[in-house]
Amino acid sequence: MKEVKLNNGVLIPQPGFGTFLTPDGETAVNAVRCAIEQGYRHIDTAAVYGNEVSVGEGIRQGGVPREELFVTSKVWNTERGYETTLRAFDKTLKDLGLDYLDLYLIHWPANTLQFGDAADGINQETWRALEKLYNEGMIRAIGLSNFMPHHLEAVLQKAEVMPAVDQIEYHPGFLQQECVDYCKEKGIVVEAWSPLGRGSVLFDELLMGLAEKYGSTVAQLVVRWVMQKGIVPLVKSITPSRIEENYQVFDFQIMDEDMALIDGMASSRIGSDPDEATF
C-alpha cells in the first residue's frame, strides 16, 4: 500500500507529507528533512504556503535521490489563467530548486460567486497551461484540488489530458462521498487534505477506543482508514516524533466493521466550501 498508480501509470507514494502552515525557514527545512529520513517519499507544498524555498532545501538535505521523491505543488488563485499559470510554475520550480515536478495542481476552482459565467473558462485556461507543461515533460502528472464534480465536468469539456488527482478535504465525519465516487468513476485518484481534521479527531472517544484495540495512536488509525478507503492521505507535523508516528501505518489492518464505524461518524467541514470561497 505504499504506492498508488495514477491513470497515466505514475506511482504516487503514500502517505504524503504536507507542509500547509509549516513556517518558512528552519522549521520547514527540518520538518521536510525529518520526513524524508523517516521514510516519506511524497512531499506536498503550494505556492501560497510561502515555504517552497525551505521545502526545496529540506528535500536537498534529505539525502535521497530526486527520482525517488514525489514532489507536489499548486498554482494559487491569483495566478489562474494560461500565461499567469505558466509564470507561476516557473517561479515554483525556481523556488523549490528543482528541474521538474511530479504533480502540479490547480489549488482552488474559480467559482461563479466570484467570476460568474467566466468561471468555467478560467478553469479551462488554467488547465490548458498545466497540459502544456505536462506535454513538455516539466510535470509527471497534473491534477486539481478542491474541485467538486461540477467544476470537474467543466474542465473535462475541454481537457485533452485527464486529471490524475483531486485533492479534497477528507476526514472522519466529512467524506464528500459524491465527489469521491465521481473521481473513482473517472479514474482520478483522491488525496485527503487534513485527514486528521486539523487535530479535531485526536480526542474522539470512538477513535480512541478503536486505536487502543489496534495498538495504534488515533492519528495512525485515521491515516490507515484513509488508505484503506483507496484515498491518499496527506499528513503534516513539525514534531519529529509525530512525523515518525504518522508514517508507521503499514503493520495493521482495520476490520470492515470498524471501517464502517469510522465511516458513520458525524463531523463538518473545517475548510472553505469551494463554491463559497472568495479568496
Side-chain angles (χ1 to χ4, degrees):
M1 292 182 69
K2 287 191 176 183
E3 291 177 319
V4 173
K5 184 178 286 189
L6 301 179
N7 55 22
N8 66 349
V10 169
L11 297 176
I12 183 169
Q14 63 173 347
F17 184 74
T19 59
F20 175 60
L21 295 181
T22 300
D24 193 28
E26 186 177 351
T27 300
V29 172
N30 291 340
V32 171
R33 184 186 68 244
C34 178
I36 293 171
E37 291 172 349
Q38 292 299 334
Y40 293 85
R41 294 296 179 263
H42 175 180
I43 308 297
D44 181 277
T45 188
V48 76
Y49 298 171
N51 57 16
E52 287 183 316
V53 171
S54 298
V55 168
E57 181 58 29
I59 288 170
R60 286 183 287 281
Q61 291 188 17
V64 171
R66 169 67 183 96
E67 61 271 17
E68 294 181 17
L69 296 175
F70 190 99
V71 182
T72 300
S73 191
K74 312 172 191 79
V75 58
W76 184 239
N77 304 349
T78 53
E79 311 304 316
R80 295 187 186 107
Y82 185 74
E83 295 293 344
T84 44
T85 293
L86 295 177
R87 288 194 293 270
F89 175 80
D90 287 343
K91 184 177 188 305
T92 278
L93 213 57
K94 180 180 178 182
D95 287 348
L96 287 167
L98 300 176
D99 296 325
Y100 68 93
L101 285 184
D102 297 278
L103 180 64
Y104 198 46
L105 310 176
I106 303 177
H107 207 149
W108 289 85
N111 60 33
T112 55
L113 179 65
Q114 281 189 291
F115 299 100
D117 293 339
D120 288 348
I122 293 170
N123 292 328
Q124 290 165 350
E125 282 298 286
T126 307
W127 185 251
R128 188 165 70 90
L130 266 62
E131 289 181 326
K132 179 180 190 296
L133 294 164
Y134 175 76
N135 289 328
E136 290 176 348
M138 301 301 296
I139 313 168
R140 297 177 66 223
I142 52 178
L144 308 162
S145 179
N146 300 299
F147 275 60
M148 296 298 103
H150 56 285
H151 306 123
L152 274 156
E153 283 290 348
V155 169
L156 294 181
Q157 286 176 10
K158 296 287 184 71
E160 296 180 0
V161 178
M162 176 66 74
V165 164
D166 191 13
Q167 185 180 125
I168 63 173
E169 178 180 346
Y170 188 93
H171 48 82
F174 192 72
L175 307 186
Q176 303 213 76
Q177 199 60 50
E178 179 187 356
C179 186
V180 170
D181 291 344
Y182 178 92
C183 287
K184 289 188 175 182
E185 177 187 335
K186 299 289 187 181
I188 299 169
V189 168
V190 175
E191 290 184 325
W193 62 258
S194 289
L196 305 182
R198 292 182 185 163
S200 65
V201 306
L202 297 179
F203 301 100
D204 179 89
E205 290 188 5
L206 169 65
L207 296 177
M208 290 171 68
L210 289 174
E212 184 176 2
K213 173 179 177 178
Y214 289 98
S216 72
T217 66
V218 172
Q220 290 169 330
L221 178 83
V222 173
V223 171
R224 180 72 195 192
W225 166 77
V226 174
M227 289 169 55
Q228 286 185 212
K229 299 286 286 183
I231 294 169
V232 177
L234 300 170
V235 291
K236 65 149 289 188
S237 179
I238 59 173
T239 306
S241 61
R242 290 178 180 166
I243 292 172
E244 178 182 9
E245 169 192 319
N246 292 341
Y247 191 73
Q248 304 304 317
V249 293
F250 297 100
D251 59 352
F252 69 100
Q253 178 96 8
I254 304 172
M255 293 188 292
D256 290 346
E257 55 265 36
D258 294 331
M259 290 289 291
L261 287 174
I262 302 173
D263 289 352
M265 289 176 59
S267 184
S268 58
R269 185 188 297 276
I270 58 172
S272 298
D273 184 326
D275 283 315
E276 297 176 3
T278 57
F279 45 80

